[in-house]
Amino acid sequence: MSLKSKVKTSGLLAGLLAVPFLLAPALTNASVPATAKVNTTKLKVDDKFVYVGQLHSATGTMAISETGSIQAERLAIEQINKQGGVLGRQIKIIQEDGASDWPTFAEKARKLSEKDRVAAIFGCWTSASRKAVLPIIERNNSLLYYPTFYEGLEQSKNVIYTGQEATQQVLEALNWLAKEKKAKTFYLIGSDYIWPRTTMKIARTHIEKVLKGKVVGEEYYPLGHTQFGSLINKTKLRKPDAIFAAVVGGSNVSFYKQMKAAGVTGDKQTLLTLSVTEDELLGIGGENMKGFYSSMKYFQSLNNPNNAAFVKAFKAKYGPKAVVGDVTQAAYLGPWLWKAAVEKAGSFDVAKVTAASKGLEMKTAPEGYVKIDPNHHLWSKSRIGQVQPNGQFKVVYESKGLIKPNPFPKGY
């Protein structure tokens, strides 16, 4: 089979993605396209290898959230390499640690894009880190695959967003709280940086203008904050129908353990988080969040063959106690979507890869069918899971169909 017929055969691509550890026939030396043809912009690509960057927080307060992304991207790249790589080339990773520090993210992004000239970067978690690297990525015409759910209000020709934006996550969650939990009063809580603040601004607008509800409190705390006693007392005093939370990183451990110690538990208080996945629950403990809810597009407990194969491979590589959260799964999609776009384009050149990405479908993602919208975000489902004592989620809501990404919602 020629390379051209390979990249056009969506059925074969879907099959390979469904069982990513099933080896695909490798390109022969004669069929591997010449480097000069597939790399016209001086990226770090040679006849045998293509180099990509990995830029996450391996240390600091965000490591609890970002370690899963590092692992998932490495798993995907390992599987791709076993299938013969990308355009006949093995993927080599240049890993950098953003260290939970936004200036460090910018410094490392500059190194990867200007010095290392990687073909793509898989990285970031917080919006602060993404905003720090975005000018560098755009200036150097690099390509970033960003895996985290985020506030939206952004669209870049140099970024593929594999997580949800606010209309897919936040608005769906608020509508569910209003309908299923009859919530009319809300207490908004978040870490103090761009994603929680912008997200809660969108949430407040939706609560007040669409749901005709009321925000009875709004609080933000620095990343790494560990003392939530005063906040908990305020929530108990104001008795909101629902707490809407966007606390991130290591602060989640203190927050939810202190909530339970104060008697604020799932059987007494409705709480929905936008930022706790199975990864964070490893540190928090499912028993400390039992009965609370989380709004994500993916949960490890999803029952479909693609997810079963993915979770099995993840645990085989990282151990039986390893868990997979929403951002981890979205990070796993990045290398596969990049591979598909590169081979569709027949080139590693960023402009050609992004052009080839529009409309690209992945029918066998662990979360289910997804596709890349022309605005570089993914069509995906919205789901709400309830925390179980074992650190997993029971899915209690799933949108009927894929939700079109709308990073610039009118009126918000």
Side-chain angles (χ1 to χ4, degrees), residues 202-261:
I202 293 169
R204 178 184 279 272
T205 299
H206 193 70
I207 289 166
E208 295 176 346
K209 293 186 177 181
V210 178
L211 302 179
K212 306 303 181 183
K214 183 178 180 181
V215 175
V216 297
E218 187 169 358
E219 305 272 350
Y220 299 94
Y221 295 86
L223 283 169
H225 188 76
T226 59
Q227 300 301 319
F228 292 97
S230 176
L231 167 65
I232 294 169
N233 288 335
K234 290 178 184 178
T235 62
K236 292 172 76 172
L237 179 65
R238 298 180 189 179
K239 299 179 181 179
D241 295 331
I243 295 174
F244 201 60
V247 177
V248 307
S251 294
N252 277 305
V253 177
S254 299
F255 178 54
Y256 289 105
K257 286 185 176 181
Q258 289 169 28
M259 290 277 279
K260 183 181 180 184

Side-chain angles (χ1 to χ4, degrees), residues 22-57:
L22 179 65
L23 299 186
L27 293 175
T28 65
N29 289 336
S31 64
V32 172
T35 300
K37 180 180 178 181
V38 300
N39 178 28
T40 69
T41 57
K42 299 181 180 179
L43 297 173
K44 193 171 180 61
V45 180
D46 57 35
D47 292 344
K48 295 183 178 180
F49 301 107
V50 52
Y51 291 80
V52 301
Q54 211 182 14
L55 179 56
H56 291 289
S57 295

Side-chain angles (χ1 to χ4, degrees), residues 141-155:
N141 195 30
S142 299
L143 178 58
L144 172 68
Y145 283 79
Y146 177 65
T148 315
F149 42 80
Y150 86 115
E151 69 279 359
L153 307 180
E154 181 181 295
Q155 180 179 334

Side-chain angles (χ1 to χ4, degrees), residues 335-360:
W336 288 105
L337 291 170
W338 174 69
K339 168 186 166 66
V342 167
E343 295 188 343
K344 180 181 175 183
S347 173
F348 293 103
D349 293 354
V350 169
K352 295 176 182 177
V353 171
T354 53
S357 295
K358 296 175 182 178
L360 195 67

Side-chain angles (χ1 to χ4, degrees), residues 96-116:
E96 297 292 345
D97 181 8
S100 306
D101 177 70
W102 323 142
T104 300
F105 268 93
E107 174 192 343
K108 299 301 185 180
R110 189 174 296 108
K111 173 186 177 292
L112 289 170
S113 62
E114 296 178 3
K115 180 181 178 182
D116 297 322

Side-chain angles (χ1 to χ4, degrees), residues 6 15 100 160 171 188 201 252 280 320 322 372:
K6 271 190 178 183
S100 306
I160 302 294
L171 304 189
L188 311 181
K201 181 179 179 181
N252 277 305
E280 288 79 14
I372 301 178

